[in-house]
Amino acid sequence: MFAFVSPLTALTRRPLQPPLRQSLTRTTFVGRALLAAAVIATPLTIVRGESSQAPTPSTTMTLSDLATLKDIDGNPVSPDAFAGKVVFAMNVASACGYTQSGYALFKKLTDKYSPNDFVAVAIPCNSFGFQESGSSEQIKSFALARADKLLIMERSDVNGAKQHPIVQLAKSKFPGKISWNFDGRYVFDRKGHPIARFGNSASDAEIEATIDSAL
C-alpha cells in the first residue's frame, strides 16, 4: 500500500533553500532595525519623586554667582564682598559646646589675615538642638563680641531644600550632611571655588594651613 503525501506536506518537509533563508534573514534584520529606530525616536519620560535636598548647583558656579545672599540684618550681600579673597565659612550657634572654640577660631583667623585677602563668614543655624534661637540682633551682638570682623549671614538651614546658598555651593564639591553646629567648615579659593571641608573636630592648624596655601 502506498501512502499518499500531498504536495503541500511534501513542500513543508523540504529544507529551506538558500534564497529563502537569505530572504527571511533580511526580513528579520529589517524588522529589528525598524524596532530599534522606533525605540530611539520615542521620547523618554523619567518621573522623579520629590527630594528634600536642594538642587545641586553646577560645579562651575562660584561665590560670585550667588546673587541672593543676605546678611543678619536682611541686607543684600554683594558678590563683590568675596571677589579675589579666600573665604572661610562655618555654621554657628550661640549655645553649643563648640561655640567658644568656634568663635575663637574666627577671631584668630580674622586677626591673622588681612581683610583685603580674607573673609570669615558665619552662618547662624537653629537646626541642631535649637541652640541659635535668639533674635537676629541677639545673634549679631553675640557673634561680633567674640569676632568683630565677621560677615554674619541671615539665619538659615544648612541641610535640605532650604540650606544656605554658600553651603549648597560647597556641597557641590564636598557632598554630605552637616551633622551639628560648627561642623560645616568650608574654605573657598580666591576665585570662589570650594577647596576644602572640615568638621568640628578639625584642628585650627589644619584649617590655617589650607588658607595659607590658597592665599
Side-chain angles (χ1 to χ4, degrees), residues 159-176:
N159 292 312
K162 296 182 179 180
Q163 64 187 333
H164 195 277
I166 291 178
V167 174
Q168 183 182 348
L169 175 60
K171 287 182 181 179
S172 69
K173 179 69 177 294
F174 302 100

Side-chain angles (χ1 to χ4, degrees), residues 7-45:
L8 180 59
T9 303
L11 179 61
T12 58
R13 290 180 178 177
R14 293 179 182 176
L16 292 175
Q17 298 302 313
L20 182 56
R21 288 179 178 174
Q22 293 175 2
S23 176
L24 289 175
T25 301
R26 285 195 297 269
T27 301
T28 301
F29 175 80
V30 172
R32 290 177 177 174
L34 291 173
L35 178 60
V39 170
I40 293 173
T42 302
L44 179 62
T45 302

Side-chain angles (χ1 to χ4, degrees), residues 53-194:
Q53 293 296 318
T56 302
S58 167
T59 54
T60 61
M61 287 183 64
T62 68
L63 288 172
S64 63
D65 296 311
L66 304 182
T68 60
L69 300 179
K70 292 183 179 181
D71 66 16
I72 191 68
D73 296 317
N75 299 316
V77 175
S78 170
D80 292 340
F82 310 116
K85 300 177 183 179
V86 174
V87 175
F88 175 68
M90 178 166 60
N91 66 307
V92 302
S94 301
C96 177
Y98 291 101
T99 299
Q100 182 175 348
S101 61
Y103 275 103
L105 173 61
F106 269 143
K107 175 67 173 172
K108 179 189 295 187
L109 297 178
T110 53
D111 284 348
K112 177 179 179 179
Y113 301 112
S114 166
N116 295 323
D117 298 315
F118 176 78
V119 180
V121 179
I123 304 174
C125 177
N126 195 38
S127 299
F128 307 108
F130 303 102
Q131 295 178 350
E132 190 70 294
S133 58
S135 67
S136 294
E137 184 57 40
Q138 288 172 327
I139 293 171
K140 178 181 177 180
S141 177
F142 181 92
L144 293 180
R146 288 155 179 78
D148 60 356
K149 301 174 186 176
L150 289 177
L151 172 56
I152 309 171
M153 310 305 289
E154 64 180 341
R155 182 166 46 197
S156 177
D157 293 340
V158 292
N159 292 312
K162 296 182 179 180
Q163 64 187 333
H164 195 277
I166 291 178
V167 174
Q168 183 182 348
L169 175 60
K171 287 182 181 179
S172 69
K173 179 69 177 294
F174 302 100
K177 286 188 175 183
I178 293 175
S179 62
W180 196 249
N181 304 308
F182 299 91
D183 185 53
R185 306 181 181 200
Y186 301 100
V187 179
F188 296 79
D189 65 16
R190 289 183 182 272
K191 294 182 179 180
H193 297 112

